[in-house]
Amino acid sequence: MRAKTEQKVKRWKDQRWLIDTVIQAVGMEWDQPRLNYTMYPAGPDAIGDFRAVGMRVRKFSDMDREFAAAANRREIKANNFEKQGRKVSARESYFIAALLYSAARWPIFENNRKSIAYNERMVACYDKFAALMDRPIERVEVPFGTDGKTLPGYLHLPRAPKPGEKFPCAIGIDGMDGSKEIMCSMYGDKFLERGMAHFIYDGPGQGECTYREILVTENNHMDAARAVYDWLSRHPNIDAGRSVIWSVSMGTFFGLQAAAALGSKICGAAVTFVCHEPGLNSLMDRSTPSFKMRFMYMSGHDDEDEFDRFMEKFTLFPIAGDIKCPVLIQAGEDDELSPIEFSDELIGKIQSPKKLVVYEGERHAIGGNNLSSSLGENWFTMLADWCLDRIEAKPAPNERVFINSFGQASSEPYG
């Protein structure tokens, strides 16, 4: 990145040496389990690629270089497999390469030659994976706004549809550090395995949208959700009236905005790893400054004071009453990016059936921080089953669930 970019957030500028020191001491997952969640959709075959990157990264500026080198190696493997007619091996390596290129983009908080090139290779590899996959995957461009711009996405179907067949659909919204490419698993996807189509897209400020100058505002993810729903409602193989939203991390903010925008058109909204604090103060000013650097890039801000005023507009509380569908929220008790009290306050403002699940001792990224997530019900399995229940029109629970460190769940009904 340019020095000008590196200097626009005061804490980043002042603490840059400290970040490198921490990375050298504890590794590149100093802020969150980035390697784990990025390689998860690819399964065990990607472990070696990602862990090798983790071992080679010794400072922040190593990250994009090492991810890109690993991605290039995987892309070469995929090309060789394809030339040999080994289609399954080729698609698997193209998928892993796409995830690695996606990760290579993340540490660059500006549009430059490197980041644009990484994005192009990510798209090319994912498209090759899609073309070789044994289930239908459609590259999608959703019209957005009046200036001809589009939101990029992928529609995954669980299998080839029969004539006239329509599938229910899970609509996935990622957070600020990921991309649509990491939202649907190559094999054994939680939603496809339950008979749902899975539509994943980059909303304003996310993934490819930064390269298209589609930047995030305090409410344009609501417009994005309407545009996506309109597109899905016209698709011959999608039953948009049986759709659910699911989202993760910063997507838990965008996902509930989407639920408020779509009202009773959707069957449910399930969000996990919460970002519900009004103004996002803990995320922007109390955690690692990489989050603020990223979000300033996503919103097109260069002036930190102006950005701070912009963030004051970020709150879900005024629109919580507009949510008409059932809601599931999963949170860590000790979430360092959004204290649990704000999710409790938010859910109190939601009038539709709601379920808040709190994992004892867990931080923002549920899993691996406390036995509550390993001994208790897996968060993703719970979320996917909850979504399936909404698709099947089963009565929605109205309760607060606490899963303790022994994996035991206790619940209290909401009045």
Side-chain angles (χ1 to χ4, degrees):
M1 291 182 287
R2 297 168 300 158
K4 181 180 178 181
T5 300
E6 295 259 16
Q7 294 169 7
K8 66 183 181 180
V9 172
K10 185 179 187 303
R11 284 198 306 129
W12 179 267
K13 179 180 63 176
D14 293 347
Q15 298 174 12
R16 185 69 168 75
W17 68 273
L18 182 58
I19 291 172
D20 284 344
T21 301
V22 172
I23 291 174
Q24 189 170 18
V26 304
M28 61 168 292
E29 294 184 285
W30 88 100
D31 58 341
Q32 56 181 313
R34 187 176 317 283
L35 295 172
N36 279 344
Y37 71 65
T38 308
M39 69 180 167
Y40 170 84
D45 283 359
I47 292 175
D49 302 76
F50 280 85
R51 287 301 169 194
V53 171
M55 288 188 291
R56 291 176 64 88
V57 168
R58 305 299 291 163
K59 60 185 185 301
F60 187 84
S61 59
D62 291 339
M63 291 174 66
D64 75 276
R65 180 191 312 115
E66 295 300 335
F67 272 121
N72 182 253
R73 288 192 294 272
R74 262 296 172 177
E75 187 177 3
I76 291 171
K77 284 185 179 180
N79 283 325
N80 289 334
F81 286 142
E82 190 172 12
K83 289 175 182 177
Q84 296 166 24
R86 299 164 64 181
K87 293 184 177 181
V88 174
S89 298
R91 77 188 184 210
E92 291 172 347
S93 282
Y94 279 129
F95 186 83
I96 295 169
L99 300 188
L100 289 163
Y101 278 124
S102 175
R105 298 177 315 167
W106 174 80
I108 305 176
F109 308 133
E110 63 182 21
N111 292 345
N112 61 26
R113 179 183 55 82
K114 273 189 175 183
S115 63
I116 292 170
Y118 296 158
N119 183 73
E120 290 173 351
R121 295 316 312 151
M122 179 199 70
V123 173
C125 288
Y126 201 93
D127 285 348
K128 287 187 176 183
F129 151 73
L132 292 168
M133 195 53 180
D134 59 352
R135 53 177 165 78
I137 304 174
E138 180 181 352
R139 170 79 182 194
V140 173
E141 296 289 345
V142 177
F144 184 66
T146 58
D147 55 1
K149 292 182 178 180
T150 57
L151 303 174
Y154 289 97
L155 177 62
H156 298 249
L157 299 184
R159 52 179 168 76
K162 300 173 184 176
E165 184 178 15
K166 291 178 178 282
F167 296 102
C169 188
I171 304 170
I173 305 173
D174 197 20
M176 69 165 66
D177 287 354
S179 64
K180 63 190 177 301
E181 285 73 18
I182 71 171
M183 291 292 282
C184 184
S185 293
M186 179 165 55
Y187 300 127
D189 180 76
K190 295 287 188 181
F191 302 100
L192 297 176
E193 288 295 317
R194 287 163 173 78
M196 295 180 240
H198 195 177
F199 183 71
I200 50 178
Y201 71 100
D202 290 328
Q206 296 176 303
E208 290 186 73
C209 284
T210 55
Y211 306 105
R212 302 179 178 196
E213 298 298 321
I214 303 175
L215 304 175
V216 65
T217 71
E218 69 274 15
N219 56 22
N220 64 351
H221 270 263
M222 301 178 78
D223 298 326
R226 296 185 188 101
V228 164
Y229 185 89
D230 288 346
W231 186 91
L232 288 170
S233 67
R234 294 191 296 271
H235 196 282
N237 300 121
I238 297 299
D239 183 357
R242 292 195 300 149
S243 58
V244 293
I245 289 169
W246 84 279
S247 57
V248 61
S249 195
M250 189 65 207
T252 66
F253 190 97
F254 302 144
L256 292 183
Q257 282 188 321
L262 296 175
S264 58
K265 291 181 179 180
I266 57 173
C267 298
V271 304
T272 190
F273 308 4
V274 296
C275 287
H276 293 155
E277 179 181 6
L280 305 178
N281 176 66
S282 297
L283 178 61
M284 297 298 161
D285 294 317
R286 297 180 59 206
S287 60
T288 174
S290 56
F291 293 116
K292 193 170 193 177
M293 286 283 287
R294 185 74 192 177
F295 211 67
M296 286 182 67
Y297 167 51
M298 291 171 59
S299 60
H301 284 84
D302 289 321
D303 182 270
E304 188 172 5
D305 291 336
E306 181 182 327
F307 176 77
D308 289 342
R309 291 189 292 272
F310 167 73
M311 289 308 302
E312 293 175 1
K313 304 173 186 177
F314 277 73
T315 176
L316 293 168
F317 290 179
I319 63 170
D322 296 332
I323 297 173
K324 307 302 181 185
C325 66
V327 171
L328 169 68
I329 297 175
Q330 297 171 316
E333 181 186 33
D334 298 334
D335 194 312
E336 73 279 17
L337 304 184
S338 181
I340 189 65
E341 64 196 77
F342 297 108
S343 295
D344 271 317
E345 186 175 357
L346 173 65
I347 211 161
K349 298 178 182 295
I350 296 173
Q351 300 304 308
S352 56
K354 61 242 182 168
K355 179 175 182 176
L356 173 62
V357 181
V358 179
Y359 285 84
E360 183 177 23
E362 281 290 345
R363 299 177 66 188
H364 180 71
I366 299 169
N369 295 310
N370 190 278
L371 290 176
S372 59
S373 62
S374 55
L375 298 181
E377 185 173 358
N378 176 269
W379 69 267
F380 209 172
T381 299
M382 180 196 300
L383 184 147
D385 284 342
W386 185 94
C387 288
L388 181 61
D389 286 346
R390 306 291 76 74
I391 293 293
E392 296 179 344
K394 295 180 180 179
N398 200 52
E399 59 183 353
R400 189 185 197 275
V401 177
F402 184 78
I403 300 178
N404 67 22
S405 294
F406 297 99
Q408 300 165 326
S410 57
S411 65
E412 299 178 7
Y414 286 115

